[in-house]
Amino acid sequence: MSSSATARFDRGHTDDLISFLAASPTPYHAVASAAERLEKAGFRQVDEAAEWDATSGGKYVLRGGAIIAWYVPEGASAHTPFRIVGAHTDSPNLRVKPLPDSGAYGWRQVAVEIYGGPLLNSWLDRDLGLAGRLSLRDGTTRLVNVGRPLLRVPQLAIHMDRGIYDKGLQLDKQKHMQPIWGLGDAREGDLISFLEEENGITAGDVTGWDLMVHSIEPPAYLGRDKELLAGPRMDNLLSVHAATAALAAAATDGNLSYIPVLAAFDHEENGSQSDTGADGPLLGSVLERSVFARGGSYEDKARAFAGTVCLSSDTGHSIHPNYAERHDPTHQPRANGGPILKVNVNNRYATDGSGRAVFVDACERAGVPYQHFVSNNAMPCGTTIGPITAARHGIKTVDIGVAILSMHSARELCGSDDPHLLASALTAFLES
């Protein structure tokens, strides 16, 4: 059952999502893009190493590829509960190794490691750029993005792989996924020297790097009526973008009874166990410090957490027309059908009945349709930051998202009005 749809498709929101995806080839760029939008909405960055004050208004913390942002209404008490939208900034991809310069037989290559669980075939024969952050000798970091055709992972010609018809495509992660970027012999330090020169950095000044490959093909509307959107990193920058827009909108509400929060973490695709992941201390530390900055005690923090709800927003699986048997026969989310409520009784998702009621209320107030997702009993279920958030902080958490196709591909697909429907539901949730 779903609510009747009254929220109208906002092409402006999806256009902005396209810009956000294009500007965010890495988690570091994604949080910078989110921070830029929040700054325009009046938020200000706070330093984790500085003392925090009790002032009201919008604030945010940046740490690596994670951002925590919140808005304190005028007159908020120390025990005012939080309304949190959780998401993650990372996507499966190919990441540069510590010794990147490699090659053989006259081909110069870049040594990469597989991050998360990408669909490897989707990275083949695609024009690729390189982006990430460089660490400099003075302790600062520099975001870099070579957004032009630089690398390519070439597939073996069919003439040399006749068995593909019988066995399917077989890819060895170590042997077959190393991109080429030129001709000649590999030279140690060549890639980093290239990036230094490309970005006006003094030669030898880069001492560390976190670099990853990305498809340079821009996001685009697809289909006869442009009712679909194709693009990279929708899992899960679609949710980060929607949550950022929702938080900025909630900050204009003069009658907030909760403190709205955006929590966008890194490293979800490999388990969330890092200082910027959902299984780390970042969110708990920020929420606690917010309580204490307003003169609160441990008791105030406990009261605030007891009334807190988190929507863990991550992409889910739309019904696939070519593989319908892989889905549950009675739960088949469709593109442009509105956000999905994700349920798994084995707690791979954190949703329970009372959490469902919170989500349904937000959708109904926003006039947004909603759907349900449950995995086929014969198929293992994925998971999200939802159960981690619920267990680590003891707060009610609900797993939701947008139904997409081609999850973990270098280029994914969703309905073009679903991003706006999600943002509308998130805004209603944060403003309630």
Side-chain angles (χ1 to χ4, degrees):
M1 175 176 145
S2 62
S3 65
S4 60
T6 58
R8 297 182 61 191
F9 168 43
D10 183 348
R11 178 59 62 85
H13 177 90
T14 307
D15 287 345
D16 190 62
L17 171 60
I18 288 174
S19 298
F20 184 83
L21 292 172
S24 306
T26 75
Y28 318 114
H29 291 81
V31 298
S33 297
E36 180 182 6
R37 284 163 169 75
L38 291 173
E39 289 275 356
K40 291 178 180 177
F43 285 67
R44 62 182 178 87
Q45 184 175 359
V46 295
D47 185 352
E48 287 190 83
E51 183 177 358
W52 292 6
D53 58 40
T55 57
S56 58
K59 308 174 185 183
Y60 67 91
V61 165
L62 285 182
R63 184 193 291 183
I67 182 171
I68 310 293
W70 66 104
Y71 183 84
V72 181
E74 287 282 354
S77 67
H79 59 265
T80 298
F82 301 93
R83 281 279 171 119
I84 305 168
V85 178
H88 67 89
T89 61
D90 59 321
S91 301
N93 58 15
L94 313 178
R95 302 203 173 188
V96 175
K97 290 182 176 180
L99 301 176
D101 301 293
S102 67
Y105 306 104
W107 293 98
R108 293 163 65 195
Q109 295 176 279
V110 174
V112 296
E113 191 172 3
I114 309 301
Y115 178 83
L119 289 171
L120 295 179
N121 63 291
S122 70
W123 291 89
L124 301 178
D125 298 329
R126 194 180 285 273
D127 293 340
L128 303 172
L130 189 67
R133 65 178 180 179
L134 301 176
S135 299
L136 308 184
R137 291 189 181 278
D138 62 4
T140 62
T141 59
R142 179 86 64 88
L143 293 185
V144 296
N145 179 18
V146 182
R148 66 177 188 273
L150 184 69
L151 307 108
R152 185 179 179 91
V153 183
Q155 186 172 350
L156 184 64
I158 189 64
H159 312 80
M160 299 180 181
D161 193 16
R162 298 291 187 182
I164 193 173
Y165 291 121
D166 299 321
K167 298 181 299 181
L169 180 63
Q170 305 290 316
L171 292 173
D172 183 290
K173 293 180 180 179
Q174 178 62 37
K175 294 180 180 179
H176 301 151
M177 297 306 297
Q178 307 306 311
I180 61 173
W181 75 306
L183 298 172
D185 297 326
R187 296 186 295 269
E188 184 178 353
D190 204 18
L191 180 67
I192 300 305
S193 294
F194 162 75
L195 291 174
E196 288 175 333
E197 182 178 352
E198 187 84 358
N199 292 278
I201 299 172
T202 302
D205 211 21
V206 173
T207 55
W209 52 87
D210 301 282
L211 298 167
M212 54 202 76
V213 169
H214 64 92
S215 171
I216 64 165
E217 184 180 3
Y221 290 104
L222 185 144
R224 185 193 67 180
D225 300 317
K226 298 184 178 180
E227 69 269 56
L228 299 171
L229 178 67
R233 301 176 295 279
M234 291 187 188
D235 178 15
N236 186 34
L237 294 188
L238 188 158
S239 293
V240 175
H241 175 263
T244 302
L247 179 60
T252 65
D253 188 327
N255 298 301
L256 292 173
S257 54
Y258 298 90
I259 295 174
V261 180
L262 159 66
F265 302 101
D266 202 352
H267 301 132
E268 188 271 350
E269 297 293 354
N270 62 8
S272 295
Q273 292 186 322
S274 70
D275 69 320
T276 53
D279 203 19
L282 181 58
L283 176 61
S285 173
V286 168
L287 299 184
E288 288 177 354
R289 292 184 68 178
S290 175
V291 170
F292 298 153
R294 284 175 278 124
S297 62
Y298 178 84
E299 181 70 12
D300 290 311
K301 176 225 167 182
R303 293 174 66 187
F305 277 38
T308 292
V309 182
C310 173
L311 291 187
S312 166
S313 182
D314 202 348
T315 53
H317 303 291
S318 169
I319 181 72
H320 196 305
N322 298 338
Y323 300 91
E325 73 281 359
R326 305 294 181 95
H327 297 261
D328 183 86
T330 58
H331 298 78
Q332 301 182 340
R334 303 192 177 199
N336 288 336
I340 55 175
L341 180 73
K342 298 194 274 190
V343 178
N344 179 262
V345 295
N346 294 301
N347 283 346
R348 300 290 287 173
Y349 303 131
T351 308
D352 63 10
S354 61
R356 177 185 184 278
V358 173
F359 176 69
V360 170
D361 173 69
C363 288
E364 289 180 342
R365 285 186 291 104
V368 167
Y370 59 90
Q371 309 179 82
H372 298 85
F373 174 80
V374 177
S375 286
N376 186 308
N377 285 336
M379 305 284 291
C381 178
T383 191
T384 68
I385 65 168
I388 294 171
T389 303
R392 182 170 184 84
H393 305 292
I395 58 180
K396 179 179 293 298
T397 304
V398 189
D399 272 297
I400 66 162
V402 162
I404 70 171
L405 291 180
S406 306
M407 186 182 292
H408 286 200
S409 171
R411 195 167 178 85
E412 297 163 324
L413 184 71
C414 75
S416 55
D417 57 350
D418 276 332
H420 173 239
L421 294 175
L422 174 65
S424 297
L426 297 182
T427 301
F429 167 74
L430 292 177
E431 290 180 342
S432 63

